[in-house]
Amino acid sequence: MKALVWLRAESWEALAEAAASLLPAHAEITLLHVADAGAELAAEAPAAGLLGRRRHRPPHHTIEAISDEAAADLLAAAAERIGREVATEARRGRLEDVVVEAAEDADVLVCARDGDRDHRGPKSLAPPTRFVVDHVPCTVILAWPEAPPEGGPPPPPPPPPHHRRP
Amino acid sequence: MSGAPAEILALALLAAVLGTAVVRPRGIPEVAVAVPAALLLIVVGAVGLDAAGDEIEQLAPTVAFLAAMLVLADLCEREGLFSAAGEMMARASRGRPVALMALVFAVAAGTTAVLSLDTTVVLLTPVVFATVTGLRLRPRPHVLACVHLANSASLLLPVSNLSNLLALRATGLSFTRFAALMALPWVAAIAIEWLVLRRAMAGDLALRGRPEPSGGTDRPHRVPRYVPAVLAAVLAGFVAASPLGVDPAWVAAAGALALAVPALARRRARPADLAQAIGVPFLLFVFALGVIVAGVAAHGLGDAVDALVPGAETLPALVATAFVAALLANLLNNLPATLLLLPPAAAAGPGTVLAALIGLNVGPNLTYTGSLATLLWRRILSRHGHDQDLGEFVRIGAVSVPLILVVSSAALWLALQGVGP
């Protein structure tokens, strides 16, 4: 059984716990971190507007290098927390695309809710994770990053259109 | 050469220079195209030798001022000022994203105002990125805050943006008067950025990071006390210099020297590092660009831009000026747009120049990369495998920039009524 764990910085602990407690002992676990290429671009692109005033940074100071170091740190922390033999993988790109592609040959994907965590409901999945859950071909384990919020029964369905006030 | 052929040649050369700056074919720096282009315009007579000499003479004090400020910022980085700011932000935010964004706002606005937008983009943004990932938070809101404020918070002081430095001489305003008139527009711009980014990034800001940054056991950066002291003295010097009739460039040079001597003595910087910090190729580029833009302005486009700049300093005229300037900055890039707009704006009065600066400085947030050309080039690149485009950031700019242009221009109008032009 191939299991892919999509690590996110803010929910890595819950993901590690879920992987350790829910995945069977024989599962081949891969921890995946995807660096958000959009955020890296956001930090780098404006220098182009400075014309010759942009300066050349030493390689270890580039945004990519900083980002890679943070990813390695996160993958190591999660691997240690799971306490089993795991493979780690660091990629970069558009989050949802990279994860869906990586999950193509996985049997299980473990990911976490990344939207509004104060209320249960559809908004608890932000767009990247919503896309991933909708498009991966495998079974999905969806973790709450912290204890799930208190919540009674789901709200009543919206009234049919002709009852709505204009 | 004169008339339409001269105009076409000058515009083509300007386009080639800006194109090189954006694309950097084979790493060719823009100065390598700009200087020959300027010389060509002089040789064919599209720019007279006298006119070119005048342009260079007018730019020289500003370029010297800029060189001193570039050295000052570089030495601040060498002494660990920005790394220390990153550690302070990480500690004080305790992993709370909204608190962190408030700190990023304060640090980026202060850095931009005192050490210019270049410093914020080149030196502070990577520190903010590292701080955020160290706290295991998402970088987007904080990086956007830093980058947006590099433009929006560059309204306050003449040293905050090269466009302001160029305008300072054109208006004849003193350092203090410039700051007094631009304080309210500056505050308005920062407040709008906060409201827009806080809302646009609400999802990412609802998360929680870890309270201690990674690598927290490392020895914290200690910034020598004289570094902030020199910066404070330089600011005080700027204020004091005008009434004494001293050019503020001398104050900046004295500040750069005050940091350079101990840095050289303690071997934190070599003379070659300082020479590199001055950025001689860029300074040459500014001169060459000045000559090229003089060519563009002299053969028709200058009159066209004149016609676009409202002469009056009424509230609608100031808002219109800011929008024209923002449009021009996005079409060209803020530096050539400044050179093109300054003469007609200065003829209309200092209020018009300051309104133009609101557009020139804040406008680049609209295309995020500072000009349409860069954005288009990015789009072309993204079709060839880079799967990221800047659409999301452009959409945020499309909300914040027009709001700031209107509100900050109105704030400028109020300041002009209160302080007087």
Side-chain angles (χ1 to χ4, degrees), chain B residues 44-106:
Chain B
V44 301
V47 179
L49 203 55
D50 289 347
D54 285 351
E55 184 67 30
I56 288 170
E57 202 178 312
Q58 276 176 26
L59 286 175
T62 302
V63 168
F65 199 165
L66 174 71
M69 290 307 295
L70 287 173
V71 172
L72 202 61
D74 185 82
L75 288 166
C76 284
E77 192 212 16
R78 283 176 193 281
E79 299 290 4
L81 189 66
F82 304 116
S83 308
E87 283 160 13
M88 179 280 288
M89 290 188 280
R91 263 198 320 276
S93 71
R94 285 184 285 147
R96 295 166 302 168
V98 178
L100 180 63
M101 192 160 94
L103 289 159
V104 170
F105 258 68

Side-chain angles (χ1 to χ4, degrees), chain B:
Chain B
M1 190 188 272
S2 62
E7 183 64 54
I8 291 167
L9 177 67
L11 274 174
L13 289 173
L14 180 62
V17 168
L18 296 178
T20 315
V22 171
V23 179
R24 289 228 160 183
R26 296 181 196 170
I28 295 174
E30 41 276 283
V31 64
V33 178
V35 170
L39 290 175
L40 179 65
L41 285 176
I42 295 170
V43 169
V44 301
V47 179
L49 203 55
D50 289 347
D54 285 351
E55 184 67 30
I56 288 170
E57 202 178 312
Q58 276 176 26
L59 286 175
T62 302
V63 168
F65 199 165
L66 174 71
M69 290 307 295
L70 287 173
V71 172
L72 202 61
D74 185 82
L75 288 166
C76 284
E77 192 212 16
R78 283 176 193 281
E79 299 290 4
L81 189 66
F82 304 116
S83 308
E87 283 160 13
M88 179 280 288
M89 290 188 280
R91 263 198 320 276
S93 71
R94 285 184 285 147
R96 295 166 302 168
V98 178
L100 180 63
M101 192 160 94
L103 289 159
V104 170
F105 258 68
V107 171
T111 304
T112 305
V114 179
L115 290 169
S116 92
L117 94 147
D118 316 10
T119 308
T120 301
V121 170
V122 180
L123 303 178
L124 185 63
T125 305
V127 168
V128 166
F129 194 94
T131 303
V132 178
T133 52
L135 289 169
R136 298 213 169 119
L137 284 167
R138 297 203 191 141
R140 272 178 195 238
H142 312 286
V143 165
L144 277 178
C146 199
V147 166
H148 265 239
L149 287 182
N151 288 320
S152 311
S154 74
L155 297 176
L156 183 63
L157 302 178
V159 287
S160 313
N161 197 320
L162 178 52
S163 57
N164 300 357
L165 273 183
L166 292 166
L168 187 65
R169 278 168 210 281
T171 55
L173 289 171
S174 72
F175 193 96
T176 323
R177 199 156 191 78
F178 185 105
L181 288 169
M182 288 301 246
L184 206 53
W186 181 70
V187 171
I190 294 171
I192 290 171
E193 292 289 10
W194 175 266
L195 294 174
V196 170
L197 286 173
R198 178 76 184 81
R199 203 183 152 83
M201 295 279 125
D204 284 357
L205 290 172
L207 307 167
R208 264 249 173 195
R210 58 175 163 181
E212 282 296 316
S214 61
T217 50
D218 291 357
R219 202 159 49 89
H221 279 88
R222 281 179 188 270
V223 182
R225 282 205 189 138
Y226 61 80
V227 176
V230 166
L231 281 180
V234 166
L235 275 183
F238 285 149
V239 175
S242 323
L244 297 174
V246 176
D247 196 304
W250 288 111
V251 178
L257 196 68
L259 289 188
V261 171
L264 289 169
R266 296 180 184 197
R267 298 181 191 280
R268 280 203 248 270
R270 296 164 301 158
D273 296 328
L274 297 184
Q276 202 182 3
I278 290 176
V280 175
F282 179 68
L283 305 182
L284 282 176
F285 171 75
V286 175
F287 284 126
L289 194 64
V291 172
I292 297 168
V293 172
V296 169
H299 300 287
L301 197 74
D303 295 339
V305 174
D306 282 5
L308 280 176
V309 177
E313 297 199 338
T314 60
L315 178 56
L318 293 178
V319 174
T321 303
F323 271 89
V324 168
L327 186 75
L328 216 54
N330 279 295
L331 282 177
L332 293 174
N333 177 292
N334 115 323
L335 187 50
T338 304
L339 293 169
L340 202 57
L341 258 180
L342 270 183
T352 303
V353 174
L354 296 179
L357 285 176
I358 292 174
L360 290 163
N361 296 352
V362 178
N365 276 342
L366 197 59
T367 43
Y368 199 73
T369 49
S371 79
L372 197 59
T374 321
L375 194 69
L376 291 175
W377 180 245
R378 279 267 168 203
R379 281 204 77 88
I380 293 165
L381 278 187
S382 70
R383 275 197 220 115
H384 291 99
H386 297 240
D387 57 353
Q388 282 300 327
D389 71 293
L390 293 157
E392 184 197 348
F393 313 133
V394 172
R395 281 194 289 281
I396 294 172
V399 176
S400 68
V401 170
L403 270 175
I404 293 176
L405 293 185
V406 172
V407 177
S408 289
S409 301
L412 171 66
W413 180 79
L414 273 179
L416 285 165
Q417 310 308 308
V419 182

